[in-house]
Amino acid sequence: MRTQPNRKVASHGVAWESTYGYVQAVQVDDTIYLSGQLSHDSEGNFVAPAELDGAGRPVDFSQMEAQFRQTYINAKILLARFGATLDDVVEEGVFVVDVPSGFAAASKVRKEMYGTAIPQCASSIFGVSGLAQPVQLVEVTFRAVINRRAS
Protein backbone atom coordinates (compact mmCIF):
# COMPACT_ATOMS: atom_id res chain seq x y z
CA MET A 1 0.00 0.00 0.00
CA ARG A 2 1.29 3.43 -0.89
CA THR A 3 1.52 5.79 2.09
CA GLN A 4 0.70 9.43 1.50
CA PRO A 5 2.37 12.03 3.72
CA ASN A 6 -0.90 13.93 4.15
CA ARG A 7 -2.86 10.81 5.19
CA LYS A 8 -3.50 9.85 8.81
CA VAL A 9 -5.49 6.84 10.01
CA ALA A 10 -7.09 5.66 13.27
CA SER A 11 -8.87 2.55 14.48
CA HIS A 12 -10.63 1.29 17.59
CA GLY A 13 -8.55 -1.91 17.79
CA VAL A 14 -11.56 -4.25 17.60
CA ALA A 15 -11.22 -7.74 16.11
CA TRP A 16 -13.26 -7.18 12.96
CA GLU A 17 -10.90 -4.45 11.72
CA SER A 18 -8.24 -7.06 10.96
CA THR A 19 -10.79 -9.71 9.93
CA TYR A 20 -12.30 -7.46 7.26
CA GLY A 21 -9.11 -5.45 6.69
CA TYR A 22 -9.80 -1.75 7.18
CA VAL A 23 -9.20 1.29 9.35
CA GLN A 24 -11.99 3.14 11.13
CA ALA A 25 -10.96 6.62 10.02
CA VAL A 26 -8.83 8.29 7.38
CA GLN A 27 -7.85 11.94 7.25
CA VAL A 28 -6.64 13.38 3.97
CA ASP A 29 -5.78 17.07 4.10
CA ASP A 30 -8.70 18.73 5.93
CA THR A 31 -11.27 15.93 5.44
CA ILE A 32 -11.88 13.03 7.84
CA TYR A 33 -13.78 9.95 6.64
CA LEU A 34 -15.19 7.59 9.26
CA SER A 35 -16.09 4.02 8.35
CA GLY A 36 -19.48 2.75 9.46
CA GLN A 37 -19.57 3.03 13.24
CA LEU A 38 -21.28 0.44 15.42
CA SER A 39 -22.35 0.31 19.07
CA HIS A 40 -19.42 -1.43 20.75
CA ASP A 41 -17.39 -0.59 23.83
CA SER A 42 -13.60 -0.19 23.92
CA GLU A 43 -13.18 -3.97 24.31
CA GLY A 44 -15.25 -4.76 21.21
CA ASN A 45 -18.33 -5.93 23.15
CA PHE A 46 -21.60 -4.85 21.58
CA VAL A 47 -23.67 -2.40 23.59
CA ALA A 48 -27.42 -3.06 23.52
CA PRO A 49 -27.23 -6.02 21.10
CA ALA A 50 -30.47 -6.95 19.39
CA GLU A 51 -32.20 -10.15 20.44
CA LEU A 52 -32.11 -12.58 17.52
CA ASP A 53 -34.49 -15.32 16.44
CA GLY A 54 -33.41 -18.85 15.45
CA ALA A 55 -32.53 -17.62 11.96
CA GLY A 56 -30.28 -14.87 13.33
CA ARG A 57 -32.67 -11.99 12.55
CA PRO A 58 -33.62 -9.26 15.05
CA VAL A 59 -36.91 -9.93 16.82
CA ASP A 60 -37.47 -6.29 17.84
CA PHE A 61 -35.91 -2.89 17.37
CA SER A 62 -36.17 -1.49 20.90
CA GLN A 63 -32.37 -1.29 21.27
CA MET A 64 -31.92 1.19 18.43
CA GLU A 65 -31.75 4.27 20.64
CA ALA A 66 -29.03 2.78 22.87
CA GLN A 67 -27.14 1.55 19.81
CA PHE A 68 -27.28 4.99 18.19
CA ARG A 69 -26.02 6.64 21.37
CA GLN A 70 -22.96 4.34 21.59
CA THR A 71 -22.35 4.67 17.85
CA TYR A 72 -22.13 8.46 18.16
CA ILE A 73 -19.86 8.11 21.20
CA ASN A 74 -17.52 5.92 19.11
CA ALA A 75 -17.55 8.50 16.32
CA LYS A 76 -16.68 11.24 18.82
CA ILE A 77 -13.73 9.18 20.07
CA LEU A 78 -12.34 8.80 16.54
CA LEU A 79 -12.92 12.43 15.60
CA ALA A 80 -11.08 13.55 18.73
CA ARG A 81 -7.97 11.67 17.56
CA PHE A 82 -7.82 14.14 14.68
CA GLY A 83 -8.66 17.18 16.82
CA ALA A 84 -12.25 17.23 15.51
CA THR A 85 -15.73 17.06 17.04
CA LEU A 86 -19.24 16.42 15.80
CA ASP A 87 -19.36 20.16 15.04
CA ASP A 88 -16.94 19.42 12.18
CA VAL A 89 -19.21 16.76 10.62
CA VAL A 90 -20.65 17.85 7.28
CA GLU A 91 -22.30 14.59 6.20
CA GLU A 92 -23.51 11.35 7.70
CA GLY A 93 -25.09 8.20 6.34
CA VAL A 94 -27.43 6.36 8.69
CA PHE A 95 -28.10 2.67 7.97
CA VAL A 96 -30.92 0.90 9.83
CA VAL A 97 -32.60 -2.49 9.57
CA ASP A 98 -36.03 -0.94 10.25
CA VAL A 99 -36.66 2.57 8.92
CA PRO A 100 -39.63 3.64 11.10
CA SER A 101 -37.88 2.57 14.32
CA GLY A 102 -34.54 3.90 13.11
CA PHE A 103 -35.97 7.27 12.11
CA ALA A 104 -37.57 7.74 15.53
CA ALA A 105 -34.45 6.68 17.45
CA ALA A 106 -32.03 8.64 15.26
CA SER A 107 -34.17 11.78 15.43
CA LYS A 108 -33.86 11.79 19.21
CA VAL A 109 -30.23 10.71 19.63
CA ARG A 110 -28.79 12.87 16.82
CA LYS A 111 -30.20 16.02 18.43
CA GLU A 112 -28.84 14.94 21.80
CA MET A 113 -25.36 14.12 20.51
CA TYR A 114 -25.00 17.21 18.31
CA GLY A 115 -26.49 19.38 21.07
CA THR A 116 -28.98 21.13 18.81
CA ALA A 117 -32.48 20.66 17.40
CA ILE A 118 -31.12 20.85 13.85
CA PRO A 119 -27.64 19.34 13.47
CA GLN A 120 -25.71 21.30 10.87
CA CYS A 121 -24.79 18.40 8.61
CA ALA A 122 -26.31 16.65 5.64
CA SER A 123 -27.82 13.32 6.63
CA SER A 124 -29.37 10.41 4.76
CA ILE A 125 -31.11 7.39 6.28
CA PHE A 126 -31.11 4.06 4.46
CA GLY A 127 -33.11 0.92 5.17
CA VAL A 128 -30.98 -2.21 4.77
CA SER A 129 -31.75 -5.91 5.07
CA GLY A 130 -28.90 -6.50 7.50
CA LEU A 131 -25.55 -5.26 8.78
CA ALA A 132 -22.19 -7.04 9.14
CA GLN A 133 -22.93 -8.00 12.75
CA PRO A 134 -26.40 -9.56 13.16
CA VAL A 135 -26.91 -7.97 16.61
CA GLN A 136 -26.48 -4.50 15.10
CA LEU A 137 -29.56 -2.54 14.14
CA VAL A 138 -27.75 0.67 13.15
CA GLU A 139 -24.53 1.83 11.53
CA VAL A 140 -23.48 5.41 10.81
CA THR A 141 -20.76 6.79 8.52
CA PHE A 142 -19.39 10.31 8.91
CA ARG A 143 -17.46 12.87 6.90
CA ALA A 144 -15.93 15.82 8.73
CA VAL A 145 -13.99 18.83 7.47
CA ILE A 146 -11.52 20.67 9.61
CA ASN A 147 -10.55 24.06 8.28
CA ARG A 148 -7.22 24.78 9.93
CA ARG A 149 -6.68 28.06 8.08
CA ALA A 150 -6.98 31.34 9.96
CA SER A 151 -10.24 33.18 9.33
Side-chain angles (χ1 to χ4, degrees), residues 25-112:
V26 177
Q27 179 182 357
V28 177
D29 298 325
D30 64 351
T31 305
I32 304 164
Y33 304 88
L34 268 59
S35 296
Q37 296 301 294
L38 303 175
S39 66
H40 58 81
D41 64 17
S42 62
E43 303 298 316
N45 301 305
F46 288 103
V47 174
E51 182 183 341
L52 305 177
D53 65 16
R57 304 288 304 160
V59 296
D60 75 73
F61 307 106
S62 62
Q63 299 292 49
M64 279 189 161
E65 190 174 310
Q67 286 193 14
F68 269 120
R69 194 165 284 107
Q70 184 64 44
T71 296
Y72 277 89
I73 289 168
N74 290 343
K76 288 168 72 171
I77 290 167
L78 285 173
L79 289 168
R81 293 185 186 160
F82 298 96
T85 70
L86 287 176
D87 290 339
D88 297 303
V89 172
V90 297
E91 182 180 31
E92 61 179 23
V94 178
F95 299 87
V96 296
V97 296
D98 182 73
V99 173
S101 300
F103 189 87
S107 296
K108 178 179 180 183
V109 175
R110 290 180 70 255
K111 293 171 184 177
E112 172 189 319

